[in-house]
């Protein structure tokens, strides 16, 4: 049995959206913070459909956690108790408070052959999938939610000759979002020759493709049918869906100094309705959990947190997307040019929040091209030397 390592202040499990926002909030409260992460890399998950599909480069997929936080431990946490965590190599770390933000994993329904399907949840998954798509001539994406729709859109843009089937069990795409999203997504994807199969259940997955009804849809199969937290594996109290049960201050039930945020936590809005797994919720819940963990360390009372999903912003590639922000719906032709800009703006805002201006080197390629575009054009107009080189 190895001696426990003690860290001062707050230990954050997971260096994703919730984790890095929690770490930043703790730091701002003047309390020391350490992040333990499985890979030591912060995945920019909302960019991964573009990376896998081929409209963004692999460099956009992730950045080192140590660029955002001073104290980082690379390791996989397997057990969490109140104020301590144990890792797969037997190391135990104790802290004054813990914030659990270990995210979610692709759900694996009891479908024969599911292990043959690719998934897309981490930068590693996205880069592996990108390589397989480059070698494929057809593809079957199972799940017409946000992940499946964004992946279909990006892949169809980067690989226009690829046959893409998008299979959804419900009668419309993006069933959890407003009706206008479904028609907008169908319009954009059909315009790119994506074959959409609604009200269609997968019977089986084989080496050749997916069996839907009695037909074989041939191609590389990707499972984009949802995610689960499976937090029971850490010994945490969980809801039926495997997300950690928390109180209104995001503190894990029956614990004093352990908080949870992001996909792994059973967040609810003020009416008690479950909130979806989204980066938007992860960012705000992470910051709030970090502040409450810092308060707990300083012996101050923790505060109730009011969370709500304000809207949705999806990027379907080729400067088209879908968004609902409060009452404003941006899904119609023409208006659908705005959501990709919003997607980039949110990405940039999150980056600045977790790392300040130094983090700008991890800005997505599309953001950098927007920022550097005026600089690139200006010398062309004024400098004959640059003009000569570039023409
Ligand atoms: C392809 C795709 C596109 C998406 N697009 C959008 C979008 O456009 N807008 C939106 O709002 N949401 C989007 N989402 C959902 C959103 O990305 C997630 O809700 C968000 O990433 C959740 O943040 P998190 O911090 O809880 O988890 P993550 O960001 O996944 O972070 C979890 C971290 O924990 C680490 N970790 C996991 N297990 C362990 C362990 N045992 N020990 C130590 N570390 C561990 C991981 O390495 C990771 O760094 C998308 C999701 C996917 C898959």
């Amino acid at each position: 049995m190895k001696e426990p390592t003690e860290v001062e202040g707050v230990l954050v499990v997971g260096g994703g959206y919730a984790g890095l926002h929690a770490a930043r909030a703790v730091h701002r409260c003047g309390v020391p913070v350490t992040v333990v992460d499985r890979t030591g890399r912060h995945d920019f998950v909302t960019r991964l459909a573009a990376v896998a599909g081929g409209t963004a480069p692999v460099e956009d997929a992730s950045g080192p956690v140590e660029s955002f936080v001073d104290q980082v431990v690379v390791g996989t946490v397997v057990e969490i108790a109140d104020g301590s965590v144990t890792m797969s190599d037997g190391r135990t770390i104790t802290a004054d408070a813990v914030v659990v933000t270990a995210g979610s994993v692709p759900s694996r329904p009891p479908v024969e052959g599911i292990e043959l399907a690719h998934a897309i949840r981490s930068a590693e998954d996205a880069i592996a999938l990108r390589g397989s798509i480059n070698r494929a001539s057809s593809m079957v994406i199972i799940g017409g939610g946000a992940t499946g729709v964004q992946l279909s859109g990006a892949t169809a843009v980067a690989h226009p000759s690829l046959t893409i089937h998008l299979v959804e069990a419900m009668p419309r795409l993006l069933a959890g979002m407003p009706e206008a999203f479904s028609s907008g997504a169908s319009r954009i994807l059909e315009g790119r020759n994506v074959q959409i199969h609604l009200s269609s259940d997968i019977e089986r997955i084989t080496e050749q493709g997916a069996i839907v009804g009695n037909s074989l849809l041939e191609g590389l199969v990707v499972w984009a049918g949802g995610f689960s937290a499976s937090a029971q594996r850490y010994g945490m109290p969980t809801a039926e869906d495997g997300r950690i049960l928390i109180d209104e201050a995001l503190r894990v039930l029956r614990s004093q100094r352990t908080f949870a945020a992001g996909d792994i936590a059973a967040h609810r809005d003020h009416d008690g309705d479950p909130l979806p797994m989204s980066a938007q919720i992860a960012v705000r819940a992470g910051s709030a959990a970090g502040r409450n963990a810092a308060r707990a360390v300083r012996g101050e009372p923790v505060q109730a947190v009011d969370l709500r999903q304000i809207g949705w912003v999806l990027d379907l590639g080729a400067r088209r997307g879908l968004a609902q922000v409060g009452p404003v719906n941006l899904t119609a032709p023409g208006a659908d040019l705005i959501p990709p800009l919003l997607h980039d703006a949110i990405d940039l805002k999150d980056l600045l929040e977790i790392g300040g201006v130094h983090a700008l080197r991890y800005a997505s390629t599309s953001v950098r091209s927007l920022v550097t575009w005026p600089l690139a054009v200006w010398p062309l107009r004024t400098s004959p030397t640059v003009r000569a080189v570039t023409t």
Side-chain angles (χ1 to χ4, degrees):
M1 184 79 176
K2 295 182 181 166
E3 280 292 297
T5 308
E6 208 173 306
V7 296
E8 226 188 309
V10 178
L11 179 69
V12 177
V13 179
Y17 290 105
L20 291 192
H21 279 81
R24 178 55 47 159
V26 174
H27 178 74
R28 286 209 177 110
C29 293
V31 171
V33 61
T34 303
V35 172
V36 53
D37 188 85
R38 188 177 60 85
T39 63
R41 300 204 50 97
H42 170 72
D43 292 349
F44 297 106
V45 185
T46 58
R47 303 176 189 169
L48 295 184
V51 171
T55 53
V58 292
E59 297 75 44
D60 277 9
S62 69
V65 175
E66 63 188 7
S67 294
F68 305 99
V69 185
D70 291 339
Q71 306 273 10
V72 181
V73 176
V74 178
T76 300
V77 169
V78 290
E79 201 179 329
I80 303 168
D82 199 13
S84 81
V85 306
T86 305
M87 290 190 285
S88 53
D89 61 4
R91 280 180 293 170
T92 298
I93 308 178
T94 64
D96 300 311
V98 172
V99 183
V100 185
T101 67
S104 57
V105 290
S107 54
R108 287 290 184 187
V111 171
E112 190 183 329
I114 187 78
E115 68 287 351
L116 297 170
H118 276 265
I120 173 171
R121 182 63 187 81
S122 64
E124 296 153 289
D125 294 339
I127 292 166
L129 177 56
R130 178 189 178 99
S132 299
I133 293 174
N134 284 339
R135 296 186 292 275
S137 57
S138 59
M139 184 174 172
V140 184
I141 300 171
I142 306 171
T147 302
V149 163
Q150 292 186 107
L151 179 62
S152 305
T155 310
V157 168
H159 301 269
S161 58
L162 192 76
T163 303
I164 303 172
H165 298 279
L166 176 60
V167 182
E168 167 56 49
M170 303 294 281
R172 66 179 180 101
L173 295 177
L174 301 169
M177 297 180 191
E179 184 84 44
F181 274 58
S182 311
S183 47
S186 297
R187 173 179 54 76
I188 294 170
L189 296 180
E190 281 166 356
R192 294 175 191 169
N193 294 323
V194 173
Q195 298 182 28
I196 300 171
H197 307 259
L198 299 175
S199 305
S200 300
D201 281 324
I202 296 290
E203 305 280 327
R204 199 154 35 97
I205 297 166
T206 70
E207 299 280 358
Q208 283 70 44
I211 314 278
V212 179
N214 290 324
S215 336
L216 169 68
L217 298 180
E218 269 184 71
L220 174 79
V221 179
V222 182
W223 171 255
F227 302 98
S228 67
S230 310
Q232 306 86 332
R233 64 198 149 130
Y234 303 115
M236 297 268 94
T238 58
E240 262 177 31
D241 63 359
R243 299 172 87 185
I244 300 175
L245 289 167
I246 45 174
D247 66 16
E248 71 280 3
L250 312 187
R251 189 162 38 192
V252 176
L253 284 201
R254 298 186 288 281
S255 80
Q256 288 303 311
R257 47 199 183 120
T258 305
F259 298 78
D263 282 7
I264 201 164
H267 293 297
R268 294 187 173 270
D269 64 16
H270 57 278
D271 296 325
D273 293 327
L275 285 163
M277 291 180 177
S278 75
Q280 188 191 126
I281 296 294
V283 161
R284 281 184 285 127
S287 299
R291 282 192 295 275
N292 271 343
R295 287 185 186 111
V297 169
R298 295 197 300 219
E300 298 166 5
V302 294
Q303 291 182 1
V305 179
D306 183 14
L307 291 172
R308 74 196 91 147
Q309 178 82 18
I310 296 168
W312 289 100
V313 181
L314 303 182
D315 184 352
L316 272 64
R319 300 187 195 285
R320 286 289 182 287
L322 305 163
Q324 168 94 38
V325 186
V328 182
N329 181 296
L330 298 166
T331 55
D336 60 5
L337 288 161
I338 300 170
L341 296 171
L342 290 177
H343 201 265
D344 282 349
I346 294 166
D347 187 274
L348 189 60
K349 175 189 80 64
D350 288 344
L351 202 53
L352 288 169
E353 276 174 15
I354 58 176
V357 285
H358 299 296
L360 284 180
R361 74 188 122 142
Y362 300 110
S364 66
T365 311
S366 59
V367 166
R368 269 184 278 138
S369 65
L370 277 180
V371 172
T372 55
W373 180 80
L375 299 176
V377 172
W378 183 70
L380 279 179
R381 291 209 176 135
T382 55
S383 158
T385 319
V386 175
R387 187 197 293 273
V389 170
T390 52
T391 52

